[in-house]
Amino acid sequence: MTKTRKVSLIIPCYNEEATLIKLYDELNKSTDNLAGYVFEYIFIDDGSRDRTFEILKQISRDGKVNYIKLSRNFGKESAMFAGLEAAKGEAVIIMDADLQHPPELIADLLGKYEQGFDQVVAKRTRDGEHKGRKLITQLYYKVINRFIDVELNDGFGDFRLLSRKAVNALLALQETNRFSKGLFSWIGFETATIEFTNRVREAGQSKFSFRGLLNYAIDGLLSFNSKPLRLLIYTALGILSVSLMYILYILFGVLISGIEVPGYFTLISAILLLSSVQLLSIGVLGEYIGRIYIEIKRRPNYLVDETNIDKDKTND
């Protein structure tokens, strides 16, 4: 007799009223015929301002649909963490609610899981993506992998399957400043990859603005290394070396030609250069100090407003 395995689907939502019903139907189509598995859907409403929560309560009449309504918008990272804490499955699949993550890939993810992989990543191809955005993304991954202590892969997102062992490893990391792409890579374990073609968003608008993407890039850079701090030391040493050479050059000129009136250009250039480096250095230090400040407060990653899951599985 085949053992029945429980699988949890974690789906963070933020203003997704336009796609939820269709997503729910597609999830059912993709999971109903998968023998040997029982599924629970965990939708996390991350402070939506539309009818998202109302729709979640409506579809929750299905016994396999659970919802967690956060008290406000804590961000996708916190919403995923809430889902991981609530998930009861032997395997957990994280996916977006905008249908850019095809539900029909669930069977392929589970197929790799049955082969013994603790992480199965759905890698998105960038076919059809705007060339400018694709170029910026490729440049971002090339640059960031030179600085951080884990490897990030272009096309690897949150759409993936995690074994219970991998989920427990992620839950053990109680940091407030979470960067899941880096955490997935940091925990390691045997990982398999399947590819899927980039999908156009079904409805609604992307929740990531340019500013949001920039902040996300900075989070990735600072979350897994202290190399920017080391870079400040190298920069300071470089400027010190150049300054000493310049001072020796000026001193040599004084000895040969006598004292001259200092040039305006030289003075302004030195002031601008040094003050720019100082401001940049203060900014980098401030980012790290700010993260330390947030971490030592030990505030919870999220607060639950309403849920139909047992209270001992969530943070009230």
Side-chain angles (χ1 to χ4, degrees):
M1 183 175 178
T2 305
K3 179 184 176 182
T4 300
R5 296 174 179 265
K6 186 165 191 174
V7 179
S8 302
L9 301 181
I10 296 176
I11 307 166
C13 306
Y14 180 65
N15 295 339
E16 300 290 357
E17 64 177 2
T19 60
L20 280 178
I21 296 297
K22 185 173 182 180
L23 171 63
Y24 173 67
D25 292 337
E26 289 200 18
L27 286 175
N28 286 334
K29 290 178 184 178
S30 299
T31 60
D32 283 349
N33 296 324
L34 291 177
Y37 301 99
V38 59
F39 292 87
E40 65 167 355
Y41 306 158
I42 303 176
F43 291 88
I44 302 94
D45 179 10
D46 187 23
S48 297
R49 298 180 179 179
D50 60 4
R51 295 179 58 253
T52 293
F53 185 60
E54 181 181 333
I55 295 173
L56 290 181
K57 294 189 77 170
Q58 176 185 334
I59 63 176
S60 68
R61 296 166 187 168
D62 181 342
K64 62 186 174 185
V65 175
N66 296 318
Y67 60 79
I68 301 173
K69 182 178 186 294
L70 303 186
S71 61
R72 64 170 178 83
N73 178 237
F74 284 88
K76 186 179 180 182
E77 295 287 347
S78 295
M80 286 194 295
F81 188 69
L84 289 174
E85 287 198 315
K88 303 173 185 176
E90 295 179 42
V92 173
I93 297 174
I94 304 173
M95 61 192 305
D96 288 347
D98 56 11
L99 287 170
Q100 288 187 289
H101 294 165
E104 57 267 25
L105 285 182
I106 291 174
D108 296 329
L109 294 171
L110 289 170
K112 290 291 186 182
Y113 167 68
E114 293 295 346
Q115 295 177 21
F117 292 99
D118 290 297
Q119 290 201 66
V120 186
V121 185
K123 181 180 180 181
R124 178 169 62 95
T125 66
R126 298 197 176 274
D127 299 339
E129 191 174 82
H130 190 276
K131 290 183 179 180
R133 184 183 178 93
K134 184 188 296 186
L135 180 62
I136 292 173
T137 302
Q138 291 172 344
L139 180 62
Y140 166 71
Y141 281 101
K142 180 176 287 188
V143 171
I144 198 171
N145 279 318
R146 289 181 175 271
F147 284 94
I148 65 175
D149 300 326
V150 296
E151 183 179 359
L152 301 183
N153 295 286
D154 187 7
F156 281 23
D158 302 320
F159 188 22
R160 64 183 62 216
L161 178 145
L162 302 166
S163 70
R164 174 48 57 181
K165 180 167 65 173
V167 171
N168 289 340
L170 288 169
L171 292 178
L173 306 175
Q174 291 290 321
E175 57 205 70
T176 301
N177 295 291
R178 301 184 72 84
F179 182 70
S180 289
K181 280 188 178 182
L183 295 177
F184 292 142
S185 180
W186 188 86
I187 63 172
F189 299 122
E190 290 293 323
T191 302
T193 304
I194 60 175
E195 290 192 351
F196 70 99
T197 304
N198 185 40
R199 272 190 173 188
V200 178
R201 186 180 177 89
E202 289 278 335
Q205 297 180 345
S206 173
K207 306 306 183 294
F208 272 116
S209 61
F210 175 78
R211 181 179 178 182
L213 291 172
L214 181 60
N215 288 335
Y216 189 71
I218 294 173
D219 285 340
L221 179 63
L222 299 182
S223 293
F224 282 87
N225 74 102
S226 58
K227 289 181 181 177
L229 296 175
R230 183 65 55 85
L231 182 62
L232 292 181
I233 297 176
Y234 293 149
T235 302
L237 290 174
I239 293 175
L240 177 61
S241 300
V242 173
S243 299
L244 289 174
M245 288 189 289
Y246 183 70
I247 290 171
L248 291 175
Y249 170 76
I250 295 296
L251 179 61
F252 182 75
V254 169
L255 294 175
I256 298 299
S257 306
I259 298 176
E260 296 180 359
V261 177
Y264 175 80
F265 176 78
T266 303
L267 179 63
I268 293 300
S269 298
I271 291 174
L272 290 176
L273 176 62
L274 293 175
S275 41
S276 297
V277 171
Q278 288 174 339
L279 288 173
L280 176 62
S281 302
I282 292 171
V284 173
L285 289 170
E287 279 289 331
Y288 280 100
I289 293 171
R291 288 165 183 270
I292 295 171
Y293 175 69
I294 292 173
E295 290 291 341
I296 63 175
K297 288 186 175 184
R298 305 307 300 165
R299 289 175 178 168
N301 284 282
Y302 61 90
L303 294 172
V304 175
D305 181 23
E306 187 176 339
T307 181
N308 63 347
I309 304 176
D310 293 341
K311 289 185 179 181
D312 61 351
K313 298 298 294 181
T314 59
N315 287 346
D316 269 333

